[in-house]
Amino acid sequence: MKLRDKRFRYGMFSTVMMLLAVMLFIIVNLVASGFNITRDLTREQVFTLTDRSIEFLAELNSPVTIYYLVPTGHEHVIISQLLEEYAAASTYIRVELRDPTINPVLAHQLAAEARLAGGIPIGSTGSIVVQSATGTVAVTELDMLPRNAAGEITSMNFEPSITRAIHNVSQGVPPVVYFVYGSGEIDISIPFIGYLLAENFALRSINLVENHIPDDADILFITMPSRDWTAAKRDRIEAFLTGGGRAFMALNLRNEATPSFDNMLASFGIAVGNFLVLEGDSRQYIDNPSIIIPTQQNHPALNNLYHSDFVNILPVTTALEILDMRRPATNITPVWTTSFSSFGRHDPNETSPERIPSDSDGPFNLALAITERIGENETQFIAVSSLTLISDDVTPFVGESNWLFVADSLRWLHGQPSGIFIPRRNPPGMNPLIVPGFQANIFRAIAMGGLPAVTLIIGVIVYVKRKNN
């Protein structure tokens, strides 16, 4: 009987196996499509949110809207994919794609709320605007794809910029920081101001020789004066601090005697050294002993720096001394220090990089956190011994790590948690490889068409060979 024919049974078995293989491929592809299963194959993982972003988004507890302002059809593939991941990571995230050429009124409105007087630059990849009930932050193409002087992209900051913006608008009303002027203080650079604005700080400036400290001031940003404070300025700052105020101080070697300023610092148990600190441990400096890599101590303002293995540098710095004579309620904690091999250079005419007899021994304090509680008032400020901390000249060597320390110090002073640091991605040297999109269609065609066809051909060959045998 034909059904009992050996060749027929082998052929039927091969056909059934081929059909089962085709059905299996179809089922696998349908399941993958339904669950949106993808795989980011780029070395830098530019299409995928880091665990830090996902953990932060899981704790989000207030609504945030992300507007992607880009002409229709010009969406950037990485931004589009990341926005899908943001929306999937938190039910509080809503993503809206808006074409600014069709709806310019919305773009102007968002620019005004983000405090961008010149409007939001769209660029070839578009711009992102992140908005919550308490704030609006714009993320431009230059933020996401910074370029060098030659116009080359230096890093891919899609996730760092967007996550930072979400973090900023979810922290509530931004702290108001006043830059203090009136005694020959340095001008704060525009890039540094832009960085703090992007970190969701409200920035003001005030001449405290002529004016009182405004009621809305949360933190005073004080830099080393080139001439001494007036009595009125000293009294205003002392009253602000002892009344529970907060301050960040970027200090430096003196140009001239500043007894009034020194008395204010001494009232809180610290003093600024009048000598140059040099590092004797070659692992703790860059190029020469005056460009110091400070040793990090245990303090909340250093959380991001510690966990990210960031390097900070302080070129041409002095030291901060903790005085024995201070009020019992004053608590002083070292934040940055030097190594035991460091030394202080007191002779300004001496150029030797090696220790000489007139040098003083280290280690030295390079940053201190001061807390003083008297009654219901708690004073807090952080003092750093170098103005180069906020200098633009240092950022090409350490990126924004110095500025990140300042931002997290300001957050600590205001009682906020540290910011969210997401490492930048280097521009990949290859085309992105990710399953969604065009490449997904290729893989899908191979899975649903190519592999079943190969299976069919193999089955036919096996059937023919067995029939002939």
Side-chain angles (χ1 to χ4, degrees):
M1 194 174 174
K2 190 174 182 180
L3 290 175
R4 295 180 179 177
D5 185 81
K6 188 175 182 180
R7 289 177 297 179
F8 179 82
R9 292 200 308 271
Y10 278 127
M12 181 63 71
F13 178 78
S14 300
T15 303
V16 171
M17 294 301 294
M18 177 193 67
L19 292 174
L20 288 175
V22 172
M23 292 176 62
L24 179 62
F25 280 115
I26 292 174
I27 292 171
V28 169
N29 278 276
L30 288 175
V31 171
S33 177
F35 285 93
N36 191 28
I37 298 174
T38 62
R39 178 69 175 175
D40 188 347
L41 301 180
T42 59
R43 184 180 65 177
E44 296 287 339
Q45 297 289 287
V46 295
F47 289 89
T48 307
L49 292 181
T50 60
D51 291 340
R52 188 75 190 276
S53 283
I54 293 173
E55 291 169 2
F56 160 66
L57 294 169
E59 298 175 357
L60 198 64
N61 56 13
S62 58
V64 174
T65 301
I66 303 176
Y67 294 96
Y68 185 18
L69 305 179
V70 63
T72 304
H74 293 271
E75 298 86 357
H76 194 284
V77 62
I78 298 178
I79 296 176
S80 297
Q81 175 64 26
L82 285 177
L83 292 182
E84 289 183 12
E85 294 216 3
Y86 279 108
S90 174
T91 56
Y92 287 100
I93 296 289
R94 186 174 84 246
V95 176
E96 295 191 12
L97 178 63
R98 296 297 181 90
D99 188 335
T101 61
I102 297 176
N103 193 349
V105 174
L106 175 65
H108 288 297
Q109 177 185 341
L110 292 174
E113 293 174 357
R115 302 190 299 273
L116 294 179
I120 299 174
I122 300 303
S124 59
T125 63
S127 289
I128 300 289
V129 177
V130 180
Q131 188 175 59
S132 72
T134 57
T136 302
V137 174
V139 181
T140 67
E141 181 181 53
L142 187 59
D143 297 321
M144 294 183 283
L145 293 173
R147 299 173 183 269
N148 57 23
E152 300 167 332
I153 295 174
T154 57
S155 61
M156 304 182 76
N157 294 353
F158 298 108
E159 182 191 357
S161 300
I162 298 172
T163 297
R164 184 170 70 178
I166 296 172
H167 176 267
N168 291 344
V169 302
S170 65
Q171 295 302 307
V173 178
V176 179
V177 179
Y178 274 86
F179 293 107
V180 174
Y181 291 103
S183 304
E185 291 86 353
I186 64 168
D187 291 328
I188 307 299
S189 72
I190 293 176
F192 180 61
I193 289 174
Y195 176 83
L196 291 182
L197 288 173
E199 291 291 333
N200 202 36
F201 294 99
L203 306 181
R204 313 280 190 271
S205 62
I206 188 167
N207 184 332
L208 288 184
V209 174
E210 302 172 351
N211 303 286
H212 292 277
I213 298 173
D215 293 336
D216 67 342
D218 293 313
I219 303 170
L220 298 182
F221 198 104
I222 300 170
T223 58
M224 191 73 184
S226 62
R227 57 180 180 271
D228 199 14
W229 283 358
T230 63
K233 182 174 181 176
R234 181 197 62 211
D235 292 343
R236 288 164 181 162
I237 292 176
E238 275 196 15
F240 174 80
L241 291 176
T242 55
R246 307 287 193 266
F248 184 91
M249 301 183 184
L251 309 177
N252 210 36
L253 289 164
R254 295 178 182 82
N255 293 326
E256 61 178 58
T258 54
S260 182
F261 175 77
D262 294 343
N263 286 339
M264 189 282 295
L265 293 180
S267 69
F268 291 99
I270 66 172
V272 181
N274 198 26
F275 55 89
L276 178 67
V277 174
L278 299 175
E279 181 57 73
D281 187 341
S282 60
R283 297 169 297 179
Q284 295 296 117
Y285 66 79
I286 298 175
D287 292 338
N288 71 73
S290 68
I291 305 177
I292 297 174
I293 301 174
T295 301
Q296 298 178 6
Q297 304 301 317
N298 185 19
H299 191 272
L302 298 176
N303 285 345
N304 269 322
L305 300 170
Y306 180 80
H307 293 297
S308 304
D309 293 326
F310 261 161
V311 171
N312 298 92
I313 62 172
L314 296 178
V316 190
T317 184
T318 186
L320 298 176
E321 181 184 356
I322 300 176
L323 303 178
D324 294 330
M325 296 293 294
R326 60 181 185 273
R327 291 184 288 266
T330 303
N331 181 43
I332 303 176
T333 304
V335 178
W336 278 338
T337 61
T338 61
S339 75
F340 283 88
S341 300
S342 61
F343 49 97
R345 176 62 46 83
H346 295 264
D347 184 353
N349 298 316
E350 179 59 55
T351 60
S352 171
E354 304 296 331
R355 184 193 299 267
I356 60 175
S358 61
D359 294 338
S360 57
D361 295 332
F364 302 103
N365 296 307
L366 303 181
L368 297 171
I370 296 89
T371 302
E372 182 179 85
R373 180 179 288 277
I374 300 178
E376 296 182 354
N377 295 325
E378 184 182 49
T379 300
Q380 285 185 328
F381 66 92
I382 286 182
V384 183
S385 62
S386 177
L387 274 175
T388 55
L389 181 75
I390 60 176
S391 170
D392 299 346
D393 297 332
V394 178
T395 52
F397 304 98
V398 294
E400 295 175 345
S401 60
N402 280 8
W403 294 357
L404 179 61
F405 168 73
V406 175
D408 279 352
S409 295
L410 295 175
R411 289 192 179 96
W412 175 74
L413 291 169
H414 195 59
Q416 292 182 340
S418 298
I420 301 296
F421 172 74
I422 307 296
R424 300 179 176 189
R425 268 76 156 190
N426 295 323
M430 64 190 76
N431 291 328
L433 295 176
I434 190 169
V435 174
F438 172 75
Q439 295 168 7
N441 292 332
I442 295 177
F443 289 122
R444 190 175 293 113
I446 294 173
M448 298 187 67
L451 293 179
V454 170
T455 305
L456 177 61
I457 293 171
I458 293 173
V460 171
I461 293 173
V462 171
Y463 174 77
V464 171
K465 285 186 176 180
R466 289 178 176 175
K467 183 176 180 182
N468 294 333
N469 292 332

